[in-house]
Amino acid sequence: MNWNQIDIWIVVGYLLLMLVIAFWHRKFASSSMDNFFLGGRQIPGWMNGISYTSALVSPDAATGYGGLAVATGGFICWWYLSRFGFALFLGGVLFAFFWRRLNLFTTLEFYDLRFAPRAAAAMRLWIAIRTSLIAMPAWTGITLLAAYKIMGPAFNLSKIETLALVVPISLLFVFSSGYKGVVVSNLIQMVIFLIGTTTLLILTVSHFGGPAEMVETITNQFGADSAEILGITPPVDHSVFPLAAAMGWLVGQSIGYGGDAAPMGGAMEGQRILSTRSPSEALTMYVVTALSMFILLLLVTLPCISAAVLWPELRQTGADRELVYGRLMKMLLPVGGMGLMVAAMLAATMSTVGDNLNFGSQVLVSDIYRRWVVRSAKEGHYMHAGKVGMVIILALSVAVVFNVLVITDVAIFMLSLSAAELPANWAQWWWWRFNGPARIAASFGGAAIFCIVVLGPRFLGYLGISWADVLLIPWYWQTLLVMGLNTILWVTVALATKPDPEHLLRSFYIKARPLGWWTPFKGLGQSSDVYPIKPLIRGVVIAFAGAASVSLFILGLTELWFARYLAGASKVFLGVIVFNIFWIQAKKYLIFLNKRSAGNIQTELVRKGARTQVLKKSEQ
């Protein structure tokens, strides 16, 4: 490691820059709740996309994905392509327009619009607790743990020393700057992260003498196993990430995505949507997120694939592979480079911590404190309460740091639990018959089924019951099994109970104008409602085109890393063509949704006018 005075000044300069940004936005953030938590709802879509990427790509990406890359090889890209690729485009094409059009303060207010009061109150309280006091501490905790797993190997820092370096400045920043300051800093932080990760990627390939020489070294070192390392498709049989896992991940994380903009398995997506300037820019947010996130993840994982040559023992079962990125930094970075990478990792850590604290406290204040504890106070009171909420969430996050060892274990657990109710998130938008009891059954029943299927066998094994091992199945099959059983549960409950009140459903339909099966209310809109499946199929096809374009792009860049230049360039070129087709069709789809909503408004105005005339005649 070449840790020099110039490195120290780079890090100090970065921290001072963050403090300047924080205090620059302090006055704007402190003026209102909308400014503090939503940036005045004037954030450009592309900037929100970069900001969302910063929340998703933090040091846990360098550690978690980097460690997985050592164990898998070139097909590591399918870990994040199957999880995010189709899902993000589904959310952007099918739901971003509708979420932004509702113009809520938090997306949890949706439940008050969609369900009867008791069910809505129960769901809003439960999801607020789950989001602010479980999901945000968990994701923040593994981000801080990831920072330690990088700082530890690079500087021999302990967990406490790492937290002392990261936590105070992160907390001070988000206290002062609010959401707008967080987004602006995210842009700077992602630029630093991009420069830092690109630098280490270039140094890694230079260490081997070039891509072709690197491939030759991998082939000579690993022999027959090198075909797996250099491959870009998950093998049918693999101990960490087989093809079935990729397919299970794809289905388990895509079906239902977008119907809930505050999922337990995701970051603060709803905040990004609601703070954009328009519904069309909400779609832009999703697209920019997908492109920027996949590129950054590729920059992080490609050097770690090659690092298997340097530390082949990390491919062994039980090795702590998540230390690999820190080792690469320590080994390859020159004077100045270490400071740049530390600033990059601090930037990524601070952006994620700041995002999580801001979003978690927004939900904690608006959906718990303001609704259930103090209902009528001045905005200043709630903003102070939000800052107290940040401290609470941060304290819970620190507890996670000292009680978790493997980051990917937490990620898989959180995402599998979240997947249990994902199909219900589509149903609450697309099916009028989906009622309050079904919503409650999907949320609480999903958690119960998850505990039975996933935790039950482990508990039986802990008790020493010999046949418990038979019930243990891979995590990806567990995810699909829990999703299937929970879907059967909430569909049964929906059909066995009464629909929600007609006036409530009518009001929601007029305000949200959802797609799907709303047959009893089709007279409120245009004739296109007679064929509810066509707009949905069209949206899914457009989303698939978007997912295919970025997948081709990422696979092409992976091929180029392995010196397969013709195959790589062909995939990149095809990806660009498919993306242009996607973007043209996505814009047309937004025009269709706008016209459809405008038609609904006109129809309702005509109805109101007709009713007014009838009332006047009756009075005469």
Coordinates of all heavy atoms in Angstrom, one line a residue, residues 304-391:
C304 N -12.4 -8.2 -9.8 CA -12.4 -9.2 -8.8 C -12.4 -10.6 -9.5 O -11.9 -11.6 -8.9 CB -13.7 -9.1 -8.0 SG -13.7 -7.5 -7.0
I305 N -13.0 -10.7 -10.7 CA -12.9 -12.0 -11.4 C -11.4 -12.4 -11.6 O -11.0 -13.5 -11.4 CB -13.6 -11.9 -12.8 CG1 -15.1 -11.6 -12.6 CG2 -13.4 -13.2 -13.6 CD1 -15.9 -11.3 -13.8
S306 N -10.6 -11.4 -12.1 CA -9.2 -11.6 -12.4 C -8.4 -11.8 -11.1 O -7.3 -12.4 -11.1 CB -8.7 -10.5 -13.2 OG -9.4 -10.3 -14.4
A307 N -8.9 -11.3 -10.0 CA -8.2 -11.4 -8.7 C -8.1 -12.8 -8.2 O -7.3 -13.1 -7.3 CB -8.9 -10.5 -7.7
A308 N -9.0 -13.7 -8.8 CA -8.9 -15.1 -8.4 C -7.5 -15.7 -8.7 O -7.1 -16.7 -8.0 CB -10.0 -15.9 -9.1
V309 N -6.8 -15.1 -9.7 CA -5.5 -15.6 -10.0 C -4.5 -15.2 -8.9 O -3.6 -16.0 -8.5 CB -5.0 -15.0 -11.3 CG1 -3.5 -15.3 -11.6 CG2 -5.9 -15.5 -12.5
L310 N -4.7 -14.0 -8.3 CA -3.8 -13.6 -7.3 C -4.0 -14.3 -5.9 O -3.1 -14.5 -5.2 CB -4.0 -12.0 -7.1 CG -3.8 -11.2 -8.4 CD1 -4.2 -9.7 -8.1 CD2 -2.4 -11.3 -8.9
W311 N -5.3 -14.6 -5.7 CA -5.6 -15.2 -4.4 C -6.6 -16.4 -4.7 O -7.8 -16.3 -4.4 CB -6.3 -14.3 -3.4 CG -5.4 -13.1 -3.1 CD1 -4.3 -13.1 -2.3 CD2 -5.6 -11.7 -3.6 NE1 -3.8 -11.8 -2.3 CE2 -4.5 -11.0 -3.1 CE3 -6.5 -11.1 -4.4 CZ2 -4.4 -9.6 -3.3 CZ3 -6.4 -9.8 -4.7 CH2 -5.3 -9.0 -4.2
P312 N -6.0 -17.5 -5.2 CA -6.9 -18.6 -5.6 C -7.6 -19.3 -4.4 O -8.7 -19.9 -4.6 CB -5.9 -19.6 -6.3 CG -4.6 -19.2 -5.8 CD -4.6 -17.7 -5.6
E313 N -7.1 -19.1 -3.2 CA -7.7 -19.6 -2.0 C -9.1 -19.0 -1.8 O -9.9 -19.7 -1.1 CB -6.8 -19.5 -0.8 CG -6.7 -18.0 -0.3 CD -5.6 -17.2 -1.0 OE1 -5.1 -17.8 -2.0 OE2 -5.3 -16.1 -0.6
L314 N -9.4 -17.9 -2.3 CA -10.7 -17.2 -2.1 C -11.8 -18.0 -2.9 O -13.0 -17.7 -2.6 CB -10.6 -15.8 -2.6 CG -9.8 -14.8 -1.7 CD1 -9.8 -13.4 -2.3 CD2 -10.2 -14.8 -0.3
R315 N -11.4 -18.8 -3.8 CA -12.5 -19.6 -4.5 C -12.9 -20.8 -3.7 O -13.8 -21.5 -4.1 CB -12.0 -20.0 -5.9 CG -12.0 -18.9 -6.9 CD -11.5 -19.4 -8.3 NE -12.3 -20.5 -8.8 CZ -13.4 -20.4 -9.5 NH1 -14.0 -19.2 -9.7 NH2 -14.0 -21.4 -10.0
Q316 N -12.2 -21.1 -2.6 CA -12.5 -22.2 -1.8 C -13.8 -22.0 -0.9 O -14.0 -20.8 -0.5 CB -11.4 -22.6 -0.9 CG -10.1 -22.9 -1.6 CD -10.2 -24.1 -2.6 OE1 -10.8 -25.1 -2.2 NE2 -9.7 -23.9 -3.8
T317 N -14.6 -23.0 -0.6 CA -15.7 -22.9 0.2 C -15.3 -22.4 1.6 O -14.4 -22.9 2.2 CB -16.5 -24.2 0.3 OG1 -16.8 -24.6 -1.0 CG2 -17.7 -24.1 1.1
G318 N -16.0 -21.4 2.1 CA -15.8 -20.9 3.5 C -14.8 -19.7 3.5 O -14.7 -19.1 4.6
A319 N -14.2 -19.4 2.4 CA -13.3 -18.2 2.4 C -14.1 -16.9 2.5 O -15.2 -16.9 1.9 CB -12.4 -18.3 1.2
D320 N -13.5 -15.9 3.1 CA -14.2 -14.6 3.2 C -13.8 -13.9 1.9 O -12.9 -13.0 1.9 CB -13.8 -13.8 4.4 CG -14.6 -12.6 4.6 OD1 -15.5 -12.3 3.7 OD2 -14.5 -12.0 5.7
R321 N -14.6 -14.1 0.8 CA -14.3 -13.5 -0.5 C -14.5 -12.0 -0.5 O -14.1 -11.3 -1.4 CB -15.1 -14.2 -1.6 CG -15.0 -15.7 -1.6 CD -15.8 -16.3 -2.7 NE -15.8 -17.7 -2.7 CZ -16.8 -18.5 -2.3 NH1 -17.9 -17.9 -1.9 NH2 -16.7 -19.8 -2.4
E322 N -15.3 -11.5 0.4 CA -15.7 -10.1 0.4 C -14.6 -9.2 0.8 O -14.8 -8.0 0.7 CB -16.9 -9.9 1.4 CG -18.2 -10.7 0.9 CD -19.3 -10.5 1.8 OE1 -19.1 -10.1 3.0 OE2 -20.5 -10.9 1.4
L323 N -13.4 -9.7 1.1 CA -12.2 -8.9 1.3 C -11.4 -8.6 0.1 O -10.5 -7.8 0.1 CB -11.3 -9.6 2.4 CG -11.9 -9.9 3.7 CD1 -10.9 -10.7 4.6 CD2 -12.3 -8.6 4.5
V324 N -11.9 -9.2 -1.1 CA -11.0 -9.1 -2.3 C -10.8 -7.7 -2.8 O -9.7 -7.4 -3.2 CB -11.6 -10.1 -3.4 CG1 -12.9 -9.5 -3.8 CG2 -10.6 -10.2 -4.5
Y325 N -11.8 -6.9 -2.8 CA -11.7 -5.6 -3.4 C -10.7 -4.7 -2.5 O -9.9 -4.0 -3.1 CB -13.0 -4.9 -3.5 CG -13.0 -3.8 -4.6 CD1 -13.2 -4.2 -5.9 CD2 -12.9 -2.5 -4.3 CE1 -13.2 -3.2 -6.9 CE2 -12.9 -1.5 -5.3 CZ -13.1 -1.9 -6.6 OH -13.1 -1.0 -7.6
G326 N -10.8 -4.9 -1.2 CA -9.8 -4.2 -0.4 C -8.4 -4.6 -0.6 O -7.4 -3.8 -0.6
R327 N -8.2 -5.9 -0.9 CA -6.9 -6.4 -1.2 C -6.3 -5.9 -2.5 O -5.2 -5.5 -2.6 CB -6.9 -8.0 -1.2 CG -7.1 -8.7 0.1 CD -6.9 -10.2 -0.1 NE -7.1 -10.9 1.2 CZ -6.9 -12.2 1.3 NH1 -6.6 -12.9 0.2 NH2 -7.1 -12.8 2.5
L328 N -7.2 -5.8 -3.5 CA -6.8 -5.2 -4.8 C -6.3 -3.8 -4.6 O -5.3 -3.3 -5.2 CB -7.9 -5.3 -5.8 CG -8.1 -6.6 -6.5 CD1 -9.4 -6.6 -7.3 CD2 -6.9 -6.9 -7.4
M329 N -7.1 -3.0 -3.8 CA -6.7 -1.6 -3.6 C -5.3 -1.5 -2.9 O -4.5 -0.8 -3.3 CB -7.8 -1.0 -2.6 CG -9.1 -0.7 -3.3 SD -10.4 -0.1 -2.1 CE -9.5 1.3 -1.3
K330 N -5.1 -2.4 -1.9 CA -3.9 -2.3 -1.2 C -2.7 -2.7 -2.0 O -1.6 -2.2 -1.9 CB -4.0 -3.3 0.0 CG -2.8 -3.2 1.0 CD -3.0 -4.1 2.2 CE -1.9 -4.0 3.2 NZ -2.1 -4.8 4.4
M331 N -2.9 -3.6 -3.0 CA -1.8 -4.2 -3.8 C -1.5 -3.3 -5.0 O -0.3 -3.1 -5.3 CB -2.2 -5.6 -4.3 CG -1.2 -6.2 -5.2 SD -1.8 -7.8 -5.8 CE -0.5 -8.2 -7.0
L332 N -2.5 -2.7 -5.6 CA -2.3 -2.1 -6.9 C -2.3 -0.6 -7.0 O -1.7 0.0 -7.9 CB -3.3 -2.6 -7.9 CG -3.3 -4.1 -8.2 CD1 -4.5 -4.4 -9.2 CD2 -2.0 -4.5 -8.8
L333 N -2.9 0.1 -6.0 CA -3.0 1.5 -6.1 C -1.7 2.3 -5.8 O -1.1 2.0 -4.8 CB -4.1 2.0 -5.1 CG -5.5 1.6 -5.6 CD1 -6.5 2.1 -4.5 CD2 -5.9 2.2 -6.9
P334 N -1.4 3.2 -6.6 CA -0.1 4.0 -6.4 C -0.4 5.2 -5.5 O -1.5 5.4 -5.0 CB 0.2 4.5 -7.8 CG -1.1 4.7 -8.4 CD -2.0 3.6 -7.9
V335 N 0.6 6.0 -5.3 CA 0.4 7.3 -4.5 C -0.7 8.1 -5.2 O -0.7 8.3 -6.4 CB 1.8 8.1 -4.5 CG1 1.5 9.4 -3.9 CG2 2.8 7.3 -3.7
G336 N -1.6 8.6 -4.4 CA -2.7 9.4 -4.9 C -3.9 8.5 -5.2 O -5.0 8.9 -5.0
G337 N -3.6 7.3 -5.7 CA -4.7 6.4 -6.0 C -5.4 5.9 -4.8 O -6.7 5.7 -4.8
M338 N -4.7 5.6 -3.7 CA -5.3 5.2 -2.5 C -6.3 6.2 -2.0 O -7.4 6.0 -1.6 CB -4.3 4.8 -1.5 CG -4.9 4.3 -0.2 SD -5.9 2.8 -0.4 CE -4.6 1.5 -0.7
G339 N -5.8 7.5 -2.0 CA -6.7 8.6 -1.5 C -7.9 8.7 -2.4 O -9.0 8.9 -1.9
L340 N -7.8 8.5 -3.7 CA -8.9 8.6 -4.6 C -9.9 7.5 -4.3 O -11.1 7.7 -4.3 CB -8.4 8.5 -6.1 CG -9.5 8.5 -7.1 CD1 -10.2 9.9 -7.2 CD2 -8.9 8.2 -8.5
M341 N -9.4 6.2 -4.1 CA -10.3 5.1 -3.9 C -11.0 5.2 -2.5 O -12.1 4.9 -2.3 CB -9.6 3.8 -4.0 CG -9.4 3.4 -5.4 SD -10.9 3.2 -6.4 CE -11.8 2.0 -5.5
V342 N -10.2 5.7 -1.5 CA -10.9 5.9 -0.2 C -11.9 6.9 -0.3 O -13.0 6.8 0.3 CB -9.8 6.3 0.9 CG1 -10.5 6.7 2.2 CG2 -8.9 5.2 1.1
A343 N -11.7 8.0 -1.0 CA -12.7 9.1 -1.2 C -13.9 8.5 -2.0 O -15.1 8.8 -1.6 CB -12.1 10.2 -2.0
A344 N -13.6 7.6 -2.9 CA -14.7 6.9 -3.7 C -15.6 6.1 -2.8 O -16.8 6.1 -2.8 CB -14.1 6.1 -4.8
M345 N -14.9 5.3 -1.9 CA -15.7 4.4 -1.0 C -16.4 5.2 0.1 O -17.5 4.9 0.5 CB -14.7 3.4 -0.4 CG -14.2 2.4 -1.4 SD -15.5 1.5 -2.2 CE -14.7 0.9 -3.7
L346 N -15.7 6.3 0.6 CA -16.4 7.1 1.5 C -17.6 7.8 0.8 O -18.7 7.9 1.4 CB -15.5 8.2 2.0 CG -14.5 7.8 3.1 CD1 -13.5 9.0 3.4 CD2 -15.2 7.4 4.4
A347 N -17.5 8.2 -0.4 CA -18.6 8.8 -1.2 C -19.7 7.9 -1.3 O -20.9 8.2 -1.1 CB -18.1 9.2 -2.6
A348 N -19.4 6.6 -1.7 CA -20.5 5.6 -1.9 C -21.2 5.3 -0.6 O -22.4 5.2 -0.5 CB -19.9 4.4 -2.5
T349 N -20.4 5.2 0.5 CA -20.9 4.9 1.8 C -21.8 6.0 2.3 O -23.0 5.8 2.7 CB -19.8 4.7 2.9 OG1 -19.0 3.6 2.4 CG2 -20.4 4.3 4.2
M350 N -21.3 7.3 2.2 CA -22.1 8.4 2.7 C -23.4 8.6 1.9 O -24.4 9.0 2.5 CB -21.2 9.7 2.6 CG -20.2 9.8 3.6 SD -19.2 11.3 3.4 CE -20.4 12.5 3.5
S351 N -23.3 8.4 0.6 CA -24.5 8.5 -0.2 C -25.6 7.6 0.2 O -26.8 7.9 0.3 CB -24.2 8.4 -1.7 OG -23.8 7.0 -2.0
T352 N -25.2 6.3 0.4 CA -26.2 5.3 0.8 C -26.7 5.5 2.2 O -27.9 5.5 2.5 CB -25.6 3.9 0.7 OG1 -25.1 3.6 -0.6 CG2 -26.6 2.8 1.1
V353 N -25.8 5.8 3.1 CA -26.2 6.1 4.5 C -27.1 7.3 4.5 O -28.2 7.3 5.2 CB -25.0 6.3 5.4 CG1 -25.4 6.8 6.8 CG2 -24.2 5.0 5.5
G354 N -26.7 8.4 3.9 CA -27.6 9.6 3.8 C -28.9 9.4 3.2 O -30.0 9.8 3.8
D355 N -29.0 8.6 2.1 CA -30.3 8.3 1.5 C -31.2 7.5 2.4 O -32.3 7.8 2.6 CB -30.0 7.5 0.2 CG -29.6 8.4 -1.0 OD1 -30.0 9.5 -1.0 OD2 -28.8 7.9 -1.8
N356 N -30.6 6.5 3.0 CA -31.4 5.6 3.9 C -31.9 6.4 5.1 O -33.1 6.2 5.5 CB -30.6 4.4 4.3 CG -30.3 3.4 3.2 OD1 -30.9 3.5 2.1 ND2 -29.4 2.5 3.5
L357 N -31.1 7.2 5.7 CA -31.5 8.0 6.8 C -32.6 9.0 6.5 O -33.6 9.1 7.2 CB -30.3 8.7 7.5 CG -29.3 7.8 8.1 CD1 -28.2 8.7 8.7 CD2 -29.9 6.9 9.2
N358 N -32.4 9.7 5.3 CA -33.4 10.7 4.9 C -34.8 10.0 4.6 O -35.8 10.4 5.1 CB -32.9 11.4 3.7 CG -33.8 12.6 3.3 OD1 -34.8 12.4 2.6 ND2 -33.5 13.8 3.8
F359 N -34.7 8.9 3.8 CA -36.0 8.2 3.5 C -36.6 7.6 4.7 O -37.8 7.6 4.9 CB -35.7 7.2 2.4 CG -36.8 6.3 2.1 CD1 -38.0 6.8 1.5 CD2 -36.8 5.0 2.4 CE1 -39.1 6.0 1.2 CE2 -37.8 4.1 2.1 CZ -39.0 4.6 1.5
G360 N -35.8 6.9 5.5 CA -36.4 6.2 6.6 C -37.0 7.1 7.6 O -38.1 6.8 8.1
S361 N -36.4 8.3 7.8 CA -37.0 9.2 8.8 C -38.2 9.9 8.2 O -39.2 10.2 8.9 CB -36.0 10.3 9.2 OG -35.6 11.1 8.0
Q362 N -38.3 10.0 6.9 CA -39.5 10.6 6.2 C -40.7 9.7 6.5 O -41.8 10.1 6.9 CB -39.3 10.7 4.7 CG -40.5 11.2 4.0 CD -40.4 11.1 2.5 OE1 -39.6 10.3 2.0 NE2 -41.2 11.8 1.7
V363 N -40.5 8.4 6.3 CA -41.6 7.4 6.6 C -41.9 7.3 8.0 O -43.1 7.3 8.4 CB -41.1 6.0 6.0 CG1 -42.2 4.9 6.5 CG2 -41.0 6.0 4.5
L364 N -40.9 7.3 8.9 CA -41.1 7.3 10.3 C -41.9 8.4 10.8 O -42.8 8.3 11.6 CB -39.7 7.2 11.0 CG -39.7 6.9 12.5 CD1 -40.2 5.4 12.7 CD2 -38.2 7.0 13.1
V365 N -41.6 9.6 10.3 CA -42.3 10.8 10.8 C -43.7 10.9 10.2 O -44.7 11.1 10.9 CB -41.5 12.1 10.4 CG1 -42.3 13.3 10.7 CG2 -40.3 12.2 11.3
S366 N -43.8 10.8 8.9 CA -45.1 11.0 8.2 C -46.1 9.9 8.4 O -47.3 10.1 8.7 CB -44.9 11.1 6.7 OG -46.1 11.3 6.0
D367 N -45.6 8.6 8.4 CA -46.6 7.5 8.5 C -46.7 6.8 9.8 O -47.6 6.0 10.0 CB -46.1 6.4 7.4 CG -46.1 7.0 6.0 OD1 -47.2 7.3 5.5 OD2 -45.0 7.1 5.4
I368 N -45.9 7.2 10.8 CA -46.0 6.7 12.2 C -46.2 7.9 13.1 O -47.3 8.0 13.8 CB -44.8 5.9 12.6 CG1 -44.6 4.7 11.6 CG2 -44.9 5.4 14.0 CD1 -43.4 3.8 11.9
Y369 N -45.2 8.7 13.3 CA -45.3 9.8 14.3 C -46.4 10.8 14.0 O -47.2 11.0 14.9 CB -43.9 10.5 14.3 CG -43.8 11.5 15.4 CD1 -43.7 11.2 16.7 CD2 -43.9 12.9 15.1 CE1 -43.6 12.1 17.8 CE2 -43.8 13.9 16.1 CZ -43.6 13.5 17.4 OH -43.5 14.4 18.4
R370 N -46.5 11.3 12.8 CA -47.5 12.3 12.5 C -48.9 11.7 12.5 O -49.9 12.4 12.8 CB -47.2 13.0 11.2 CG -48.0 14.2 10.9 CD -47.5 14.9 9.6 NE -48.0 16.3 9.5 CZ -47.6 17.1 8.6 NH1 -46.6 16.8 7.7 NH2 -48.1 18.3 8.5
R371 N -49.0 10.5 12.0 CA -50.3 9.9 11.9 C -50.9 9.3 13.2 O -52.1 9.4 13.5 CB -50.3 8.7 10.9 CG -51.6 8.1 10.6 CD -51.5 7.0 9.6 NE -52.7 6.2 9.5 CZ -53.7 6.5 8.7 NH1 -53.7 7.6 7.9 NH2 -54.8 5.7 8.6
W372 N -50.0 8.8 14.1 CA -50.4 8.1 15.3 C -50.1 8.8 16.6 O -50.7 8.5 17.6 CB -49.8 6.7 15.3 CG -50.3 5.9 14.1 CD1 -49.6 5.6 12.9 CD2 -51.5 5.2 13.9 NE1 -50.3 4.9 12.1 CE2 -51.5 4.6 12.7 CE3 -52.7 5.0 14.8 CZ2 -52.6 3.8 12.2 CZ3 -53.7 4.3 14.3 CH2 -53.7 3.7 13.0
V373 N -49.0 9.6 16.6 CA -48.6 10.2 17.9 C -49.0 11.7 18.0 O -49.7 12.0 18.9 CB -47.0 10.0 18.0 CG1 -46.6 10.5 19.4 CG2 -46.7 8.5 17.9
V374 N -48.4 12.5 17.2 CA -48.7 14.0 17.2 C -49.2 14.3 15.9 O -48.5 14.4 14.9 CB -47.4 14.8 17.5 CG1 -47.7 16.3 17.5 CG2 -46.8 14.4 18.9
R375 N -50.5 14.6 15.8 CA -51.2 14.7 14.5 C -51.2 16.2 14.0 O -51.4 16.4 12.8 CB -52.7 14.2 14.6 CG -52.7 12.7 14.9 CD -54.1 12.1 14.7 NE -54.1 10.7 14.9 CZ -55.2 9.9 14.7 NH1 -56.3 10.5 14.3 NH2 -55.2 8.6 14.9
S376 N -51.1 17.1 14.9 CA -51.3 18.5 14.4 C -50.2 19.4 15.1 O -50.4 19.9 16.2 CB -52.7 19.1 14.7 OG -53.0 18.9 16.1
A377 N -49.1 19.5 14.5 CA -48.0 20.3 15.0 C -47.4 21.1 13.9 O -47.7 20.9 12.7 CB -46.9 19.5 15.7
K378 N -46.6 22.1 14.2 CA -45.9 22.9 13.1 C -44.9 22.0 12.4 O -44.4 21.0 12.9 CB -45.3 24.1 13.7 CG -46.2 25.1 14.3 CD -45.5 26.3 14.9 CE -46.5 27.3 15.5 NZ -45.8 28.5 16.0
E379 N -44.6 22.4 11.1 CA -43.7 21.7 10.3 C -42.3 21.5 10.9 O -41.6 20.5 10.8 CB -43.6 22.3 8.9 CG -44.7 21.9 7.9 CD -44.2 22.0 6.5 OE1 -43.2 22.6 6.2 OE2 -44.9 21.4 5.6
G380 N -41.9 22.6 11.6 CA -40.6 22.6 12.3 C -40.5 21.4 13.3 O -39.5 20.8 13.5
H381 N -41.6 21.2 14.0 CA -41.7 20.1 15.0 C -41.4 18.8 14.3 O -40.6 17.9 14.8 CB -43.0 20.1 15.7 CG -43.2 18.9 16.6 ND1 -42.7 18.9 17.9 CD2 -43.8 17.7 16.4 CE1 -43.0 17.7 18.4 NE2 -43.7 17.0 17.5
Y382 N -42.0 18.5 13.1 CA -41.9 17.3 12.4 C -40.5 17.1 11.8 O -40.0 16.0 11.7 CB -43.0 17.1 11.4 CG -44.4 17.0 12.0 CD1 -45.3 18.0 11.7 CD2 -44.7 15.9 12.8 CE1 -46.6 17.8 12.2 CE2 -46.0 15.8 13.3 CZ -46.9 16.8 13.1 OH -48.2 16.7 13.6
M383 N -39.9 18.2 11.4 CA -38.6 18.2 10.9 C -37.5 17.8 12.0 O -36.6 17.0 11.7 CB -38.2 19.5 10.2 CG -39.0 19.7 8.9 SD -38.7 21.3 8.2 CE -37.0 21.1 7.6
H384 N -37.7 18.3 13.2 CA -36.9 17.9 14.3 C -37.1 16.5 14.6 O -36.2 15.7 15.0 CB -37.2 18.8 15.5 CG -36.6 20.2 15.4 ND1 -35.3 20.5 15.1 CD2 -37.3 21.4 15.5 CE1 -35.1 21.8 15.0 NE2 -36.3 22.4 15.3
A385 N -38.4 16.0 14.6 CA -38.7 14.6 14.8 C -38.0 13.7 13.8 O -37.5 12.6 14.1 CB -40.2 14.4 14.8
G386 N -37.9 14.2 12.6 CA -37.3 13.5 11.5 C -35.8 13.3 11.8 O -35.2 12.2 11.5
K387 N -35.2 14.3 12.3 CA -33.7 14.1 12.7 C -33.5 13.2 13.8 O -32.5 12.4 13.9 CB -33.2 15.5 13.0 CG -33.2 16.4 11.7 CD -32.6 17.8 12.0 CE -32.6 18.7 10.8 NZ -32.1 20.0 11.0
V388 N -34.4 13.2 14.8 CA -34.4 12.2 15.9 C -34.5 10.8 15.3 O -33.8 9.8 15.7 CB -35.5 12.4 16.9 CG1 -35.5 11.3 17.9 CG2 -35.2 13.8 17.6
G389 N -35.5 10.7 14.3 CA -35.7 9.4 13.6 C -34.4 8.9 12.9 O -34.1 7.7 12.9
M390 N -33.6 9.8 12.3 CA -32.4 9.4 11.7 C -31.4 8.8 12.7 O -30.7 7.8 12.4 CB -31.7 10.7 11.1 CG -32.5 11.2 9.9 SD -31.6 12.7 9.2 CE -32.8 13.2 8.0
V391 N -31.3 9.4 13.9 CA -30.4 8.8 14.9 C -30.9 7.4 15.3 O -30.1 6.5 15.5 CB -30.4 9.8 16.1 CG1 -29.6 9.2 17.3 CG2 -29.9 11.2 15.7

